Amino acid sequence: MSAKSYWALLLCLLSWGGFAQTVILLHQKGEQPLPQKLYLAGSFNNWNPADSNFRFENGQLTLKLPADQVEAKITGGSWDLAEAFADGSPRPNRVLDLSADSLHLYWEAWEDHKEHPPRGVQLVPENDSLFYNNSYRKVWIYLPEGYETARRDYPVMYFHDAQNLFQGLKGSSRKWNLAQCLDSLELPLIVVAINHGGENRIRELSAFENEEYGGGDGYEYLDFIVNQVKPYVDAHYPVKTEREYTYIGGSSLGGLISLTALEAWPEVFGGALVFSPAYWFNPEVPEMVAEHGSPEATLIYQMIGTKEGNKPEEAVQRTLKCRAILDNMHPNWQIHTKVVADGEHNEDLWREQLPEALLWFFKQAPLKKYRHAGKRP
Protein backbone atom coordinates (compact mmCIF):
# COMPACT_ATOMS: atom_id res chain seq x y z
CA MET A 1 0.00 0.00 0.00
CA SER A 2 1.36 3.41 -0.95
CA ALA A 3 1.80 6.10 1.70
CA LYS A 4 -0.93 8.16 0.05
CA SER A 5 -3.39 5.25 0.10
CA TYR A 6 -2.44 4.41 3.66
CA TRP A 7 -3.23 7.85 5.01
CA ALA A 8 -6.41 8.10 2.94
CA LEU A 9 -7.64 4.87 4.50
CA LEU A 10 -6.63 6.06 7.94
CA LEU A 11 -8.51 9.35 7.55
CA CYS A 12 -11.57 7.40 6.46
CA LEU A 13 -11.37 5.20 9.52
CA LEU A 14 -10.92 8.23 11.74
CA SER A 15 -14.29 9.47 10.69
CA TRP A 16 -15.84 6.39 12.29
CA GLY A 17 -14.73 7.50 15.77
CA GLY A 18 -12.73 5.65 18.40
CA PHE A 19 -9.44 7.04 17.08
CA ALA A 20 -7.17 9.55 18.78
CA GLN A 21 -4.19 11.70 17.93
CA THR A 22 -1.15 11.18 20.12
CA VAL A 23 2.08 13.12 19.80
CA ILE A 24 5.15 11.15 20.80
CA LEU A 25 8.14 13.24 21.88
CA LEU A 26 11.46 11.41 21.91
CA HIS A 27 14.32 12.47 24.19
CA GLN A 28 17.91 11.44 24.74
CA LYS A 29 18.77 9.66 27.98
CA GLY A 30 22.37 8.97 28.90
CA GLU A 31 25.60 9.76 27.11
CA GLN A 32 24.80 8.61 23.56
CA PRO A 33 23.36 11.31 21.27
CA LEU A 34 19.91 10.81 19.81
CA PRO A 35 20.25 9.19 16.34
CA GLN A 36 18.91 11.12 13.38
CA LYS A 37 17.03 8.19 11.79
CA LEU A 38 14.43 6.76 14.16
CA TYR A 39 11.24 4.76 13.59
CA LEU A 40 8.46 3.29 15.69
CA ALA A 41 7.60 -0.35 14.99
CA GLY A 42 4.75 -2.13 16.68
CA SER A 43 1.60 -4.16 16.59
CA PHE A 44 -0.05 -1.39 14.53
CA ASN A 45 2.27 -1.81 11.49
CA ASN A 46 3.16 -5.49 11.62
CA TRP A 47 6.43 -4.65 13.41
CA ASN A 48 7.95 -3.05 10.33
CA PRO A 49 11.25 -1.50 11.57
CA ALA A 50 11.52 0.94 8.64
CA ASP A 51 7.96 2.09 8.02
CA SER A 52 8.17 5.63 6.61
CA ASN A 53 4.68 6.35 7.99
CA PHE A 54 6.10 6.00 11.50
CA ARG A 55 9.41 7.83 11.22
CA PHE A 56 10.30 10.45 13.81
CA GLU A 57 10.99 13.95 12.50
CA ASN A 58 13.09 16.11 14.81
CA GLY A 59 12.29 13.79 17.68
CA GLN A 60 8.53 13.92 17.16
CA LEU A 61 5.93 11.54 15.74
CA THR A 62 2.17 12.02 15.53
CA LEU A 63 0.06 8.86 15.71
CA LYS A 64 -3.55 8.67 14.58
CA LEU A 65 -4.62 5.24 15.77
CA PRO A 66 -7.38 3.73 17.91
CA ALA A 67 -7.30 5.08 21.46
CA ASP A 68 -5.96 1.85 22.91
CA GLN A 69 -2.77 0.32 24.28
CA VAL A 70 -0.23 -0.93 21.74
CA GLU A 71 3.15 -2.62 21.95
CA ALA A 72 6.01 -0.83 20.22
CA LYS A 73 9.76 -0.50 19.98
CA ILE A 74 12.05 2.23 18.62
CA THR A 75 14.33 1.17 15.77
CA GLY A 76 16.97 2.69 13.54
CA GLY A 77 15.44 1.33 10.34
CA SER A 78 16.19 -2.37 10.86
CA TRP A 79 16.13 -4.95 13.63
CA ASP A 80 19.92 -4.74 13.78
CA LEU A 81 19.22 -1.36 15.40
CA ALA A 82 16.66 -2.01 18.12
CA GLU A 83 16.43 0.12 21.23
CA ALA A 84 18.08 -1.10 24.40
CA PHE A 85 19.00 -0.02 27.88
CA ALA A 86 22.19 1.99 28.43
CA ASP A 87 24.28 -1.18 28.88
CA GLY A 88 23.15 -2.50 25.50
CA SER A 89 20.82 -5.15 26.93
CA PRO A 90 17.53 -5.64 25.03
CA ARG A 91 14.61 -3.50 26.10
CA PRO A 92 11.21 -5.23 26.32
CA ASN A 93 8.48 -3.95 24.06
CA ARG A 94 7.01 -0.67 25.26
CA VAL A 95 3.30 -0.47 26.05
CA LEU A 96 1.95 2.86 24.80
CA ASP A 97 -1.38 4.26 25.91
CA LEU A 98 -2.72 6.07 22.85
CA SER A 99 -5.61 7.61 24.73
CA ALA A 100 -3.11 10.25 25.91
CA ASP A 101 -2.62 13.48 23.95
CA SER A 102 1.17 13.22 24.23
CA LEU A 103 3.80 10.75 25.39
CA HIS A 104 7.44 11.39 26.32
CA LEU A 105 9.80 8.51 25.50
CA TYR A 106 13.50 8.26 26.28
CA TRP A 107 16.02 6.56 24.01
CA GLU A 108 19.20 5.22 25.65
CA ALA A 109 21.15 2.99 23.24
CA TRP A 110 21.01 0.33 20.55
CA GLU A 111 21.28 -3.36 21.40
CA ASP A 112 24.84 -4.65 21.44
CA HIS A 113 23.55 -8.14 20.48
CA LYS A 114 25.28 -9.84 23.37
CA GLU A 115 23.48 -12.17 25.74
CA HIS A 116 22.20 -10.39 28.84
CA PRO A 117 20.49 -13.07 30.93
CA PRO A 118 18.38 -12.01 33.93
CA ARG A 119 19.26 -12.61 37.56
CA GLY A 120 19.77 -16.24 38.41
CA VAL A 121 20.42 -17.36 34.83
CA GLN A 122 23.91 -18.29 33.72
CA LEU A 123 25.43 -20.01 30.70
CA VAL A 124 26.70 -23.49 31.46
CA PRO A 125 30.46 -23.46 30.77
CA GLU A 126 31.38 -24.89 27.40
CA ASN A 127 32.42 -28.53 27.81
CA ASP A 128 32.40 -31.80 25.90
CA SER A 129 29.02 -32.74 27.37
CA LEU A 130 27.45 -29.91 25.37
CA PHE A 131 28.89 -30.98 22.02
CA TYR A 132 26.00 -31.93 19.76
CA ASN A 133 25.50 -31.90 15.98
CA ASN A 134 29.12 -30.84 15.36
CA SER A 135 29.07 -27.80 17.66
CA TYR A 136 28.72 -26.75 21.29
CA ARG A 137 25.10 -26.17 22.18
CA LYS A 138 24.31 -23.28 24.49
CA VAL A 139 22.68 -24.47 27.68
CA TRP A 140 21.44 -22.05 30.34
CA ILE A 141 20.71 -22.78 33.96
CA TYR A 142 18.42 -20.93 36.36
CA LEU A 143 19.43 -21.15 40.02
CA PRO A 144 17.01 -20.05 42.76
CA GLU A 145 18.03 -17.20 45.01
CA GLY A 146 19.83 -18.55 48.08
CA TYR A 147 20.74 -21.91 46.53
CA GLU A 148 24.39 -21.54 47.60
CA THR A 149 23.54 -21.67 51.31
CA ALA A 150 20.38 -23.77 51.19
CA ARG A 151 22.22 -27.05 51.88
CA ARG A 152 19.71 -28.98 49.85
CA ASP A 153 19.24 -30.39 46.39
CA TYR A 154 16.50 -29.05 44.12
CA PRO A 155 14.02 -30.59 41.67
CA VAL A 156 15.02 -29.84 38.10
CA MET A 157 13.07 -29.17 34.91
CA TYR A 158 14.64 -29.30 31.45
CA PHE A 159 13.22 -26.86 28.91
CA HIS A 160 13.66 -26.57 25.14
CA ASP A 161 13.91 -23.34 23.09
CA ALA A 162 15.97 -21.46 25.68
CA GLN A 163 16.22 -18.44 23.35
CA ASN A 164 12.52 -17.74 23.91
CA LEU A 165 12.40 -18.33 27.66
CA PHE A 166 14.50 -15.56 29.18
CA GLN A 167 14.62 -11.82 28.65
CA GLY A 168 18.03 -10.76 27.36
CA LEU A 169 18.69 -13.79 25.14
CA LYS A 170 18.71 -13.64 21.36
CA GLY A 171 15.57 -15.18 19.92
CA SER A 172 11.92 -14.27 19.81
CA SER A 173 11.15 -10.67 20.76
CA ARG A 174 8.52 -12.08 23.11
CA LYS A 175 9.63 -14.23 26.03
CA TRP A 176 8.16 -16.52 28.67
CA ASN A 177 9.94 -14.45 31.35
CA LEU A 178 10.73 -17.76 33.04
CA ALA A 179 13.35 -16.42 35.46
CA GLN A 180 11.15 -13.56 36.65
CA CYS A 181 8.26 -15.99 37.05
CA LEU A 182 10.30 -18.36 39.22
CA ASP A 183 11.66 -15.47 41.27
CA SER A 184 8.18 -14.11 41.94
CA LEU A 185 6.75 -17.52 42.84
CA GLU A 186 9.81 -18.31 45.01
CA LEU A 187 9.79 -21.90 43.80
CA PRO A 188 12.68 -24.20 44.77
CA LEU A 189 13.30 -25.30 41.20
CA ILE A 190 16.41 -25.42 39.03
CA VAL A 191 15.78 -25.01 35.30
CA VAL A 192 18.09 -26.26 32.58
CA ALA A 193 17.22 -24.56 29.27
CA ILE A 194 18.70 -25.81 26.00
CA ASN A 195 18.97 -23.59 22.93
CA HIS A 196 17.12 -24.93 19.93
CA GLY A 197 19.15 -25.82 16.87
CA GLY A 198 17.95 -23.01 14.60
CA GLU A 199 17.22 -24.50 11.20
CA ASN A 200 17.44 -27.97 12.79
CA ARG A 201 14.73 -27.23 15.36
CA ILE A 202 11.99 -29.21 13.60
CA ARG A 203 14.29 -32.21 13.22
CA GLU A 204 15.37 -32.15 16.86
CA LEU A 205 11.94 -31.70 18.41
CA SER A 206 10.10 -34.43 16.51
CA ALA A 207 10.49 -38.16 17.04
CA PHE A 208 9.26 -39.13 13.60
CA GLU A 209 9.37 -37.62 10.15
CA ASN A 210 6.34 -35.66 9.01
CA GLU A 211 5.54 -36.14 5.31
CA GLU A 212 5.25 -32.41 4.67
CA TYR A 213 7.78 -30.89 7.08
CA GLY A 214 10.41 -33.57 7.63
CA GLY A 215 11.95 -33.98 11.07
CA GLY A 216 12.55 -37.19 12.96
CA ASP A 217 15.75 -36.72 15.02
CA GLY A 218 13.92 -36.30 18.32
CA TYR A 219 15.25 -39.47 19.94
CA GLU A 220 18.82 -38.41 19.21
CA TYR A 221 18.12 -35.00 20.76
CA LEU A 222 16.61 -36.60 23.86
CA ASP A 223 19.64 -38.88 24.07
CA PHE A 224 21.81 -35.75 24.10
CA ILE A 225 19.83 -34.40 27.06
CA VAL A 226 19.77 -37.67 29.00
CA ASN A 227 23.29 -38.94 28.39
CA GLN A 228 25.28 -35.72 27.99
CA VAL A 229 23.56 -32.69 29.53
CA LYS A 230 21.93 -34.38 32.53
CA PRO A 231 25.07 -36.16 33.81
CA TYR A 232 26.97 -32.86 33.70
CA VAL A 233 24.18 -31.00 35.50
CA ASP A 234 23.88 -33.78 38.10
CA ALA A 235 27.61 -33.57 38.81
CA HIS A 236 27.97 -29.77 38.95
CA TYR A 237 24.73 -28.33 40.36
CA PRO A 238 22.61 -29.05 43.47
CA VAL A 239 19.86 -31.04 41.76
CA LYS A 240 17.95 -34.11 42.86
CA THR A 241 18.73 -36.84 40.31
CA GLU A 242 15.78 -39.21 40.84
CA ARG A 243 13.04 -39.43 38.18
CA GLU A 244 10.36 -38.22 40.56
CA TYR A 245 12.21 -34.90 40.80
CA THR A 246 13.22 -34.62 37.13
CA TYR A 247 10.86 -33.01 34.60
CA ILE A 248 10.88 -31.78 31.04
CA GLY A 249 8.84 -29.08 29.32
CA GLY A 250 8.25 -26.98 26.24
CA SER A 251 5.71 -25.57 23.81
CA SER A 252 4.49 -26.58 20.36
CA LEU A 253 7.06 -29.10 19.06
CA GLY A 254 8.79 -28.61 22.41
CA GLY A 255 5.63 -29.86 24.08
CA LEU A 256 5.48 -32.80 21.68
CA ILE A 257 9.06 -33.89 22.37
CA SER A 258 8.56 -33.42 26.11
CA LEU A 259 5.70 -35.92 26.10
CA THR A 260 7.81 -38.20 23.89
CA ALA A 261 10.51 -38.16 26.57
CA LEU A 262 8.11 -39.95 28.94
CA GLU A 263 8.02 -42.83 26.46
CA ALA A 264 11.67 -42.81 25.45
CA TRP A 265 13.18 -42.43 28.94
CA PRO A 266 10.46 -43.27 31.47
CA GLU A 267 13.12 -44.12 34.06
CA VAL A 268 14.61 -40.60 33.79
CA PHE A 269 11.66 -38.19 33.64
CA GLY A 270 8.88 -38.11 36.20
CA GLY A 271 6.74 -35.54 34.46
CA ALA A 272 6.25 -33.11 31.59
CA LEU A 273 4.97 -29.57 31.06
CA VAL A 274 3.25 -29.66 27.68
CA PHE A 275 2.11 -26.30 26.29
CA SER A 276 0.27 -26.09 22.95
CA PRO A 277 1.47 -29.54 21.87
CA ALA A 278 1.92 -30.12 18.14
CA TYR A 279 0.26 -33.54 18.16
CA TRP A 280 -0.69 -33.05 14.51
CA PHE A 281 3.01 -33.38 13.61
CA ASN A 282 3.44 -36.86 15.15
CA PRO A 283 -0.08 -38.06 16.08
CA GLU A 284 1.20 -41.48 17.17
CA VAL A 285 3.02 -40.08 20.21
CA PRO A 286 0.18 -40.20 22.82
CA GLU A 287 -0.52 -43.90 22.23
CA MET A 288 3.21 -44.70 22.35
CA VAL A 289 3.53 -42.85 25.66
CA ALA A 290 0.54 -44.71 27.02
CA GLU A 291 2.02 -48.07 25.97
CA HIS A 292 5.63 -47.51 27.03
CA GLY A 293 5.33 -44.95 29.81
CA SER A 294 6.41 -45.73 33.34
CA PRO A 295 4.01 -47.64 35.59
CA GLU A 296 5.13 -45.30 38.38
CA ALA A 297 3.41 -42.04 39.21
CA THR A 298 3.95 -39.37 36.56
CA LEU A 299 2.94 -35.70 36.40
CA ILE A 300 1.70 -34.11 33.16
CA TYR A 301 0.39 -30.57 32.71
CA GLN A 302 -1.20 -29.96 29.29
CA MET A 303 -2.43 -26.58 28.06
CA ILE A 304 -4.00 -25.58 24.74
CA GLY A 305 -5.70 -22.41 23.50
CA THR A 306 -8.93 -22.31 21.52
CA LYS A 307 -7.42 -20.16 18.75
CA GLU A 308 -4.26 -22.08 17.98
CA GLY A 309 -3.23 -22.73 14.40
CA ASN A 310 -5.33 -23.09 11.27
CA LYS A 311 -7.50 -25.80 12.83
CA PRO A 312 -7.97 -24.73 16.46
CA GLU A 313 -10.86 -27.08 17.21
CA GLU A 314 -8.80 -30.02 15.98
CA ALA A 315 -5.86 -28.93 18.16
CA VAL A 316 -8.08 -28.87 21.24
CA GLN A 317 -9.59 -32.26 20.42
CA ARG A 318 -6.17 -33.85 19.91
CA THR A 319 -5.09 -32.57 23.32
CA LEU A 320 -8.23 -33.89 25.02
CA LYS A 321 -7.82 -37.20 23.21
CA CYS A 322 -4.27 -37.49 24.49
CA ARG A 323 -5.56 -36.97 28.02
CA ALA A 324 -8.17 -39.71 27.55
CA ILE A 325 -5.61 -42.17 26.15
CA LEU A 326 -3.21 -41.64 29.04
CA ASP A 327 -5.95 -41.72 31.67
CA ASN A 328 -7.19 -45.03 30.32
CA MET A 329 -3.76 -46.67 30.41
CA HIS A 330 -2.33 -44.97 33.50
CA PRO A 331 -5.07 -44.07 35.99
CA ASN A 332 -2.39 -43.47 38.66
CA TRP A 333 -0.78 -40.64 36.66
CA GLN A 334 -1.61 -37.09 37.68
CA ILE A 335 -2.68 -35.29 34.49
CA HIS A 336 -4.04 -31.77 34.32
CA THR A 337 -5.40 -30.47 31.01
CA LYS A 338 -6.40 -26.84 30.59
CA VAL A 339 -8.17 -25.28 27.61
CA VAL A 340 -7.70 -21.51 27.48
CA ALA A 341 -10.46 -19.51 25.81
CA ASP A 342 -9.14 -17.32 22.97
CA GLY A 343 -5.58 -18.50 23.62
CA GLU A 344 -3.31 -18.19 20.57
CA HIS A 345 -0.17 -20.11 19.66
CA ASN A 346 2.51 -17.72 20.91
CA GLU A 347 4.79 -16.73 23.77
CA ASP A 348 2.15 -14.40 25.19
CA LEU A 349 -0.11 -17.36 26.00
CA TRP A 350 2.76 -19.47 27.35
CA ARG A 351 4.03 -16.64 29.56
CA GLU A 352 0.55 -16.03 30.96
CA GLN A 353 -0.07 -19.70 31.72
CA LEU A 354 3.38 -20.51 33.11
CA PRO A 355 2.85 -19.52 36.79
CA GLU A 356 -0.26 -21.67 37.18
CA ALA A 357 1.45 -24.63 35.53
CA LEU A 358 4.57 -24.46 37.70
CA LEU A 359 2.53 -24.09 40.87
CA TRP A 360 0.48 -27.14 39.89
CA PHE A 361 3.60 -29.33 39.94
CA PHE A 362 4.37 -28.20 43.47
CA LYS A 363 0.86 -29.09 44.61
CA GLN A 364 1.34 -32.74 43.59
CA ALA A 365 3.32 -35.50 45.26
CA PRO A 366 6.28 -35.73 45.62
CA LEU A 367 6.93 -31.98 45.20
CA LYS A 368 4.13 -31.17 47.63
CA LYS A 369 6.04 -33.06 50.33
CA TYR A 370 9.38 -31.68 49.15
CA ARG A 371 8.37 -28.11 49.98
CA HIS A 372 5.22 -26.05 49.81
CA ALA A 373 5.29 -23.46 47.04
CA GLY A 374 5.66 -19.84 47.99
CA LYS A 375 8.43 -20.05 50.60
CA ARG A 376 12.12 -19.43 50.24
CA PRO A 377 14.43 -22.39 50.94
Side-chain angles (χ1 to χ4, degrees):
M1 180 184 293
S2 68
K4 184 176 180 180
S5 299
Y6 174 88
W7 288 111
L9 176 61
L10 194 57
L11 288 171
C12 179
L13 291 173
L14 279 170
S15 65
W16 296 349
F19 282 68
Q21 178 171 298
T22 303
V23 177
I24 298 181
L25 302 170
L26 195 56
H27 309 279
Q28 170 191 350
K29 181 179 179 181
E31 299 180 356
Q32 296 194 40
L34 198 65
Q36 292 185 348
K37 189 167 68 171
L38 292 164
Y39 298 83
L40 193 69
S43 50
F44 44 82
N45 70 343
N46 201 29
W47 294 97
N48 183 347
D51 189 338
S52 60
N53 295 310
F54 295 92
R55 179 172 177 173
F56 287 88
E57 297 293 342
N58 299 317
Q60 183 172 315
L61 173 64
T62 300
L63 297 181
K64 296 180 180 179
L65 295 171
D68 202 353
Q69 289 188 339
V70 298
E71 289 190 55
K73 184 167 285 188
I74 299 167
T75 81
S78 75
W79 287 116
D80 289 332
L81 294 175
E83 66 171 320
F85 294 112
D87 63 358
S89 60
R91 183 188 187 107
N93 294 339
R94 296 175 182 268
V95 178
L96 306 180
D97 184 359
L98 299 187
S99 64
D101 293 332
S102 63
L103 295 172
H104 291 265
L105 304 184
Y106 294 85
W107 178 90
E108 298 182 56
W110 295 130
E111 281 187 32
D112 61 14
H113 299 290
K114 296 178 182 177
E115 306 277 12
H116 293 270
R119 189 223 68 80
V121 177
Q122 57 186 247
L123 188 64
V124 176
E126 191 172 284
N127 65 85
D128 290 344
S129 296
L130 307 186
F131 196 78
Y132 178 63
N133 273 353
N134 300 315
S135 64
Y136 290 101
R137 182 63 58 91
K138 282 187 176 181
V139 175
W140 303 85
I141 190 159
Y142 167 87
L143 299 166
E145 188 174 351
Y147 81 95
E148 306 97 326
T149 57
R151 296 183 180 179
R152 71 192 307 176
D153 290 335
Y154 291 80
V156 59
M157 184 173 287
Y158 290 80
F159 274 92
H160 320 289
D161 298 326
Q163 297 99 318
N164 301 336
L165 298 181
F166 303 115
Q167 288 287 354
L169 301 192
K170 300 175 185 176
S172 169
S173 61
R174 292 172 170 157
K175 308 289 184 180
W176 292 35
N177 293 355
L178 179 53
Q180 291 87 340
C181 175
L182 289 167
D183 282 347
S184 66
L185 296 177
E186 300 182 340
L187 291 180
L189 180 69
I190 285 178
V191 165
V192 180
I194 302 162
N195 271 28
H196 65 66
E199 62 182 14
N200 294 322
R201 180 180 182 273
I202 291 178
R203 288 170 45 197
E204 293 176 359
L205 299 184
S206 56
F208 308 105
E209 183 176 353
N210 179 282
E211 291 185 1
E212 184 174 355
Y213 297 100
D217 290 349
Y219 286 117
E220 294 180 14
Y221 169 71
L222 290 173
D223 184 81
F224 164 64
I225 296 176
V226 171
N227 292 312
Q228 292 181 226
V229 179
K230 186 178 187 297
Y232 182 88
V233 170
D234 290 350
H236 292 85
Y237 297 95
V239 298
K240 296 182 74 67
T241 60
E242 303 91 340
R243 77 172 291 276
E244 60 264 35
Y245 297 105
T246 304
Y247 307 90
I248 189 167
S251 62
S252 192
L253 285 174
L256 178 70
I257 201 64
S258 296
L259 193 71
T260 304
L262 301 184
E263 175 263 327
W265 273 273
E267 74 282 4
V268 173
F269 298 106
L273 182 150
V274 183
F275 277 2
S276 305
Y279 291 141
W280 62 271
F281 197 96
N282 287 157
E284 59 268 70
V285 166
E287 291 187 357
M288 292 181 60
V289 174
E291 183 177 355
H292 301 290
S294 173
E296 299 181 29
T298 299
L299 305 179
I300 300 176
Y301 189 102
Q302 288 192 119
M303 186 278 298
I304 189 76
T306 62
K307 291 186 177 180
E308 296 205 33
N310 297 325
K311 300 179 179 180
E313 292 184 5
E314 185 175 308
V316 172
Q317 289 305 313
R318 286 184 184 276
T319 304
L320 296 176
K321 181 181 178 181
C322 175
R323 166 69 183 265
I325 291 171
L326 297 177
D327 274 343
N328 182 60
M329 186 69 73
H330 297 281
N332 63 320
W333 285 14
Q334 295 294 316
I335 306 173
H336 181 84
T337 301
K338 182 178 182 180
V339 178
V340 181
D342 298 326
E344 299 181 2
H345 195 85
N346 55 40
E347 276 79 14
D348 293 341
L349 175 65
W350 305 327
R351 179 178 61 252
E352 292 168 2
Q353 296 300 315
L354 183 61
E356 181 179 325
L358 293 174
L359 286 172
W360 179 85
F361 280 92
F362 279 87
K363 293 177 181 177
Q364 317 305 316
L367 295 191
K368 183 177 181 179
K369 296 179 180 179
Y370 180 71
R371 189 190 69 83
H372 292 295
K375 298 179 181 178
R376 288 241 181 255

